[in-house]
Amino acid sequence: DAVLRIVAGGPLPADRLRSQPWLVRRARAGDRLRLVAGRPSRTMKNLWQERAVPPWLRAGLPVVEVGGEIVFAAGFGCAADVAGAGERGIDLRFEPRRADDPRRAWL
């Protein structure tokens, strides 16, 4: 059991995100995320492997899609493609409810 929190003052443009449908789902190995502007996007599988996230925990880490585009991945943060330049928007945080949840080590 976990909570996805919307926090004021983050890099995601609130107006743009308000105008499109959101989908919170489990991350899949083929999902791609760009963490740094101007750099290539990377597959979730590659990002997980680099951080040594055990395969059995990966299915429990969500992504948030807005308008069909991944804007957030638990453990990695917001996508650089979506982050507004100099805008004060929102941030997303994935928080497992239990203190002993093993996903906490990767967030």
Side-chain angles (χ1 to χ4, degrees):
D1 199 20
V3 174
L4 182 67
R5 295 198 189 283
I6 299 172
V7 181
L12 297 174
D15 290 341
R16 177 177 167 201
L17 299 180
R18 253 191 295 256
S19 67
Q20 299 180 46
W22 287 43
L23 174 65
V24 179
R25 63 169 175 78
R26 291 181 178 176
R28 298 185 287 257
D31 287 339
R32 298 188 73 83
L33 183 68
R34 185 180 326 274
L35 295 174
V36 179
R39 303 287 310 242
S41 65
R42 316 264 308 284
T43 65
M44 291 301 299
K45 180 178 180 178
N46 185 263
L47 292 169
W48 287 325
Q49 287 174 336
E50 285 181 3
R51 291 207 41 213
V53 178
W56 58 273
L57 279 180
R58 297 173 187 175
L61 297 172
V63 297
V64 176
E65 285 184 21
V66 177
E69 180 179 10
I70 294 176
V71 299
F72 171 83
F76 298 101
C78 300
D81 309 23
V82 181
E87 292 183 46
R88 297 281 301 162
I90 62 169
D91 199 1
L92 301 174
R93 297 206 181 110
F94 175 72
E95 300 172 358
R97 291 182 192 252
R98 290 188 359 242
D100 64 342
D101 190 314
R103 295 175 295 182
R104 285 185 177 273
W106 309 102
L107 299 175

